[in-house]
Amino acid sequence: MKFNFLEYLESFMANTTDILTKVRPIQFVRQLQFYLVLVTLTMVTYFLASPYLGQEKIGLREDGSYSVGNVSPESIISNKEIIYDDLDKTKLKKAEAYKSASLVFERDYSVLITLIQNYIDEDFDNLKVIAAEGNTNRNIGFLVYKNIRWKFRSREDLEFLLNYPRKDKLKELVQKGTNLIFSSYCILKDVSPDVTNSLGLGVHVINKGAKENTSTLDATHVFPRTAIYQNKKVQEKLSKHLDEKLTGIDSNTLTITKRMILSTYIYSFPACVYKPEETELQKQKEVAKVNIVKSKITKNEVIVKKGELVTPEIRTRLELLNEHNSRANINSILSILIVQIILVSIIIVFLIKYDPKRLNDVSSNVILFSTIWILT
């Protein structure tokens, strides 16, 4: 006999309709509703919670098979993706931030304003008075006596200063150059090697007594005053800087002016000091800016292979696997189940209040719960 699909389909639909529309005792309907609710809660909760279902917990006793230094008895694979706070990497990043934070120095502008500028005025006023007397040989000794800060100037430099006709211009150049070097560099009286070796790329400078409270300097602009004589690179940098700014004079005048600026006034009055307490605060601020580093265990990632040595890092990842699995089994599944119970309860209350006949109808119950399953 040849199979006729259309006849079979028609017969199936007729039987299904008969089953669904047949009048049933109320007890049968209540039992059907109970089973439908049970199946719905089980099925929907399973499907929604499946991504969160944990794997079997691993025995991680201190003296167990997975303690540090033991060989793993089996391979452990993560069955899901886990994103966690990586405390080791965070500590490393904070240590880097602490180390790379800028050192803090204080530059006292009152040294420039109340000391250096006053001494320059005084020294050049004395120069003009003594030069007016005319006797160069006698005047050199008197000039050194009056300007004690010039006692290490050579005889040639002192003769040049006494005979230079534009002494006000010379004073202006010395003031300009001194201001330039003072405000562009942080020159220390003395400093420990630990500080100079930790300068990094730049430093913060607190400008005491200046309108601009703080400034940032390149690390090469911070050095002890002895570098003016002992460090060739520093000498070349300072000399080049002055060459660019002090213009309109001959090379001999420029050379003597630079020596006056650097060795007489800048060297004698270093105005920068290292501030360890402010530096520590700056370092702590940089550490506080570091965000917690997130690491990831990917789904199906091999945590440890059979026969592999369990290291502290592997042990930590195994503990994370246990922690996240335990949390998922309890919290995630329970919360989903509660949501499903509330949803089904709302539907039942709605039917009881607004359409109680539908609640006692087999076909309506089947259609309702089938729709929930399909949407889920």
Side-chain angles (χ1 to χ4, degrees), residues 8-100:
Y8 173 79
L9 181 60
E10 183 180 352
S11 176
F12 174 77
M13 293 180 66
N15 291 333
T16 302
T17 303
D18 183 58
I19 293 172
L20 293 176
T21 57
K22 186 177 180 180
V23 178
R24 305 283 185 175
I26 191 65
Q27 186 178 2
F28 175 85
V29 176
R30 293 291 180 264
Q31 288 180 348
L32 177 64
Q33 288 172 339
F34 173 77
Y35 290 121
L36 288 173
V37 169
L38 185 62
V39 171
T40 300
L41 291 176
T42 304
M43 183 179 67
V44 174
T45 302
Y46 173 78
F47 282 121
L48 293 179
S50 58
Y52 307 99
L53 293 175
Q55 61 196 86
E56 184 180 353
K57 292 188 70 172
I58 307 162
L60 295 179
R61 301 191 315 274
E62 290 297 327
D63 58 346
S65 302
Y66 294 98
S67 58
V68 176
N70 286 351
V71 174
S72 175
E74 60 180 323
S75 297
I76 302 295
I77 300 173
S78 175
N79 70 342
K80 64 177 181 177
E81 180 179 276
I82 298 174
I83 298 176
Y84 62 95
D85 296 342
D86 197 321
L87 299 182
D88 291 333
K89 289 184 179 179
T90 302
K91 287 180 182 178
L92 181 61
K93 195 171 180 180
K94 287 186 175 183
E96 291 174 353
Y98 184 89
K99 185 178 179 181
S100 62

Side-chain angles (χ1 to χ4, degrees), residues 91-362:
K91 287 180 182 178
L92 181 61
K93 195 171 180 180
K94 287 186 175 183
E96 291 174 353
Y98 184 89
K99 185 178 179 181
S100 62
S102 299
L103 304 187
V104 179
F105 296 83
E106 183 180 81
R107 180 169 50 195
D108 189 356
Y109 270 81
S110 66
V111 173
L112 176 66
I113 297 168
T114 62
L115 289 180
I116 297 178
Q117 295 296 355
N118 288 339
Y119 286 142
I120 292 174
D121 290 338
E122 180 183 327
D123 291 344
F124 277 88
D125 287 344
N126 291 334
L127 174 64
K128 286 190 288 185
V129 170
I130 295 171
E133 297 179 2
N135 189 330
T136 302
N137 290 329
R138 186 175 67 84
N139 289 347
I140 288 176
F142 191 45
L143 180 63
V144 173
Y145 170 75
K146 293 293 288 185
N147 293 350
I148 192 67
R149 287 164 293 279
W150 291 10
K151 64 181 179 179
F152 295 114
R153 301 271 59 81
S154 68
R155 182 178 181 84
E156 291 76 12
D157 285 0
L158 293 173
E159 286 180 353
F160 174 85
L161 293 169
L162 285 167
N163 296 323
Y164 192 76
R166 302 171 61 194
K167 292 180 175 57
D168 287 334
K169 174 64 176 178
L170 196 62
K171 173 185 173 182
E172 179 186 334
L173 290 172
V174 171
Q175 287 178 327
K176 181 179 179 181
T178 302
N179 293 342
L180 175 69
I181 298 301
F182 188 97
S183 59
S184 300
Y185 299 86
C186 184
I187 300 173
L188 306 146
K189 182 177 182 180
D190 49 45
V191 63
S192 69
D194 291 340
V195 174
T196 54
N197 293 334
S198 304
L199 291 175
L201 298 177
V203 301
H204 287 293
V205 178
I206 301 170
N207 297 313
K208 184 180 178 182
K211 290 183 179 179
E212 187 181 0
N213 294 329
T214 60
S215 56
T216 301
L217 291 181
D218 187 276
T220 58
H221 286 220
V222 182
F223 47 82
R225 64 177 179 174
T226 54
I228 294 174
Y229 291 114
Q230 300 174 0
N231 191 313
K232 187 176 180 180
K233 288 184 178 180
V234 170
Q235 293 171 358
E236 291 175 350
K237 180 187 287 291
L238 295 174
S239 180
K240 183 179 179 181
H241 202 166
L242 289 170
D243 289 342
E244 293 172 351
K245 300 298 181 179
L246 304 182
T247 57
I249 54 175
D250 61 87
S251 60
N252 185 46
T253 303
L254 178 60
T255 300
I256 294 174
T257 302
K258 289 193 293 186
R259 283 202 292 263
M260 290 284 292
I261 292 168
L262 296 175
S263 60
T264 301
Y265 298 110
I266 294 297
Y267 182 87
S268 299
F269 301 98
C272 248
V273 292
Y274 172 60
K275 306 294 285 184
E277 293 182 2
E278 287 78 358
T279 297
E280 182 63 23
L281 289 175
Q282 180 67 25
K283 287 179 176 291
Q284 293 301 332
K285 285 181 182 178
E286 293 301 318
V287 169
K289 293 178 183 177
V290 176
N291 294 322
I292 295 177
V293 178
K294 298 288 185 180
S295 289
K296 180 170 67 174
I297 298 175
T298 59
K299 186 176 181 179
N300 298 324
E301 179 181 342
V302 178
I303 307 300
V304 62
K305 295 179 180 179
K306 183 178 181 180
E308 185 179 356
L309 184 68
V310 178
T311 63
E313 292 77 14
I314 290 176
R315 171 77 182 194
T316 299
R317 290 164 74 84
L318 291 173
E319 290 172 351
L320 282 167
L321 205 61
N322 265 7
E323 178 187 346
H324 281 260
N325 286 336
S326 174
R327 183 164 59 245
N329 285 333
I330 297 172
N331 296 336
S332 300
I333 297 175
L334 184 60
S335 62
I336 292 172
L337 179 61
I338 292 172
V339 170
Q340 299 308 310
I341 292 174
I342 293 172
L343 177 62
V344 172
S345 300
I346 291 172
I347 294 172
I348 292 173
V349 170
F350 178 83
L351 291 175
I352 292 174
K353 186 172 182 179
Y354 295 101
D355 200 355
K357 292 182 179 180
R358 293 285 183 184
L359 192 62
N360 298 327
D361 183 58
V362 173

